[in-house]
Amino acid sequence: MEQAIGVFDSGIGGLTVLKAIKKQLPHENLIYLGDTARVPYGNKSKDNIIRYSIENTQFLLKHNIKILVVACNTSTAISLNILKEKFAIPILGVIEPGARRALEVTRSGRIGIIGTEATIKSGAYVRVLKDMRKDVIVFSKACPLFVPVVEEGLTNGKIAEEIVKHYLESFNTHFIDTMILGCTHYPLLKGLIKEYFKGSVKVVDSANETAKAVKELLENNRMLNYAKSDGISKFFVTDAAERFLKIGKTILGSSMEEVQLVTVEK
Ligand code: DGL
């Protein structure tokens, strides 16, 4: 099937998921929407996060996508089930794949989760983890300043280091052996987060795991694109396209050439 895979996030973070999909499924066409006009989602109300997620999906559906990847933990936590009920195409979120991976790598069963306020408050990770393994012990923390740091492209240097320390200090007494990056922006801070724990904690992000789930779904439903050539990726944002292109290139490299500005709000 030549139809594209649709991917959305509130901003730049979902590009970490798109990159993993591109790597595992190079022949697939991809359409990415970053809702940069309304980022961050993490401190918004449930009602607004649901409305934004529906509008983003409707926009991508106009481009005739074959499946949708909600490459945003906040949208996944708050609206995945609603989107699945409302729309007929297959829809994948990022929470279950990341949680599954964390359970594969943990030895002690003591797992940390960091994410946006809305994701942590929703308890979605704790629910999914406990459903899969009852005796798991979970410590969660919202890290609201991580998203603006990433959106500003400040992922290296003193500011990011201080903010990482500020949020992760509380995990020093929890003796976790695995940390889930429960926000698609956070893999861009993965180096600093790993460094903070000095190798004592395995850091799991959902990008590769989500890409694996996408591959499985397409294979099982005979929806793969069997074209021989590399797929085409198209990028849309709801604000500040130039800025998105500049930071996006640091994540995806030269394969990102153009970003189009669109309106998705009704
Ligand atoms: N990247 C998003 C996530 O995975 C949300 C960041 C935000 O908009 O607050 O949660």
Side-chain angles (χ1 to χ4, degrees):
M1 276 173 113
E2 275 179 30
Q3 281 165 271
I5 299 171
V7 180
F8 82 75
D9 179 40
S10 57
I12 209 116
L15 290 180
T16 58
V17 179
L18 179 125
K19 190 178 179 181
I21 298 174
K22 241 169 116 66
K23 196 163 168 210
Q24 291 189 38
L25 293 162
H27 304 299
E28 293 299 326
N29 296 314
L30 295 158
I31 296 186
Y32 184 91
L33 172 67
D35 190 10
T36 44
R38 303 186 286 196
V39 71
Y41 284 8
N43 53 12
K44 304 279 177 1
S45 67
K46 267 188 179 182
D47 284 353
N48 273 327
I49 295 167
I50 291 168
R51 180 165 61 84
Y52 299 166
S53 303
I54 290 174
E55 287 171 353
N56 294 343
T57 306
Q58 284 166 337
F59 171 81
L60 289 168
L61 282 173
K62 280 192 210 139
H63 290 262
N64 196 25
I65 55 170
K66 58 182 173 185
I67 67 163
L68 172 69
V69 180
V70 181
C72 172
N73 287 263
T74 309
S75 286
T76 301
I78 306 298
S79 63
L80 184 67
N81 291 337
I82 294 166
L83 296 179
K84 280 183 171 174
E85 269 168 33
K86 201 172 162 61
F87 300 104
I89 57 162
I91 304 182
L92 286 171
V94 282
I95 290 184
E96 213 181 291
R100 185 167 300 120
R101 179 69 190 147
L103 290 176
E104 274 164 20
V105 303
T106 183
R107 294 258 160 104
S108 64
R110 298 174 74 87
I111 297 176
I113 298 162
I114 50 176
T116 65
E117 271 170 28
T119 299
I120 297 303
K121 222 165 100 194
S122 76
Y125 268 102
V126 182
R127 263 197 311 280
V128 171
L129 284 165
K130 293 228 180 238
D131 273 354
M132 293 195 241
R133 186 173 147 184
K134 278 200 174 46
D135 65 343
V136 79
I137 301 166
V138 185
F139 301 92
S140 314
K141 187 159 181 79
C143 306
L145 288 175
F146 280 2
V147 170
V149 163
V150 170
E151 292 283 327
E152 287 297 322
L154 295 172
T155 48
N156 286 306
K158 280 243 149 13
I159 295 173
E161 268 171 42
E162 279 304 313
I163 294 174
V164 165
K165 183 167 165 255
H166 169 76
Y167 286 125
L168 299 189
E169 242 163 16
S170 65
F171 287 97
N172 291 345
T173 51
H174 293 329
F175 306 106
I176 56 166
D177 74 348
T178 304
M179 171 66 92
I180 301 177
L181 305 185
C183 173
T184 51
H185 282 66
Y186 298 1
L188 299 163
L189 293 166
K190 198 172 184 176
L192 285 183
I193 293 171
K194 273 185 160 172
E195 217 170 89
Y196 178 82
F197 288 115
K198 298 193 176 69
S200 64
V201 168
K202 286 168 216 115
V203 179
V204 170
D205 71 70
S206 49
N208 285 331
E209 302 312 309
T210 304
K212 269 189 218 162
V214 170
K215 192 171 177 199
E216 223 176 274
L217 189 141
L218 294 182
E219 278 169 358
N220 292 345
N221 294 287
R222 297 173 171 274
M223 291 171 91
L224 284 166
N225 186 5
Y226 294 107
K228 295 266 179 327
S229 50
D230 278 354
I232 294 167
S233 300
K234 287 188 183 156
F235 301 92
F236 298 93
V237 290
T238 52
D239 199 8
E242 280 303 313
R243 200 162 161 275
F244 185 90
L245 181 63
K246 196 169 141 221
I247 302 173
K249 273 184 188 234
T250 67
I251 302 170
L252 293 180
S254 55
S255 68
M256 193 174 184
E257 281 163 10
E258 195 197 353
V259 179
Q260 292 177 52
L261 191 62
V262 291
T263 305
V264 299
E265 204 163 355
K266 289 259 162 67

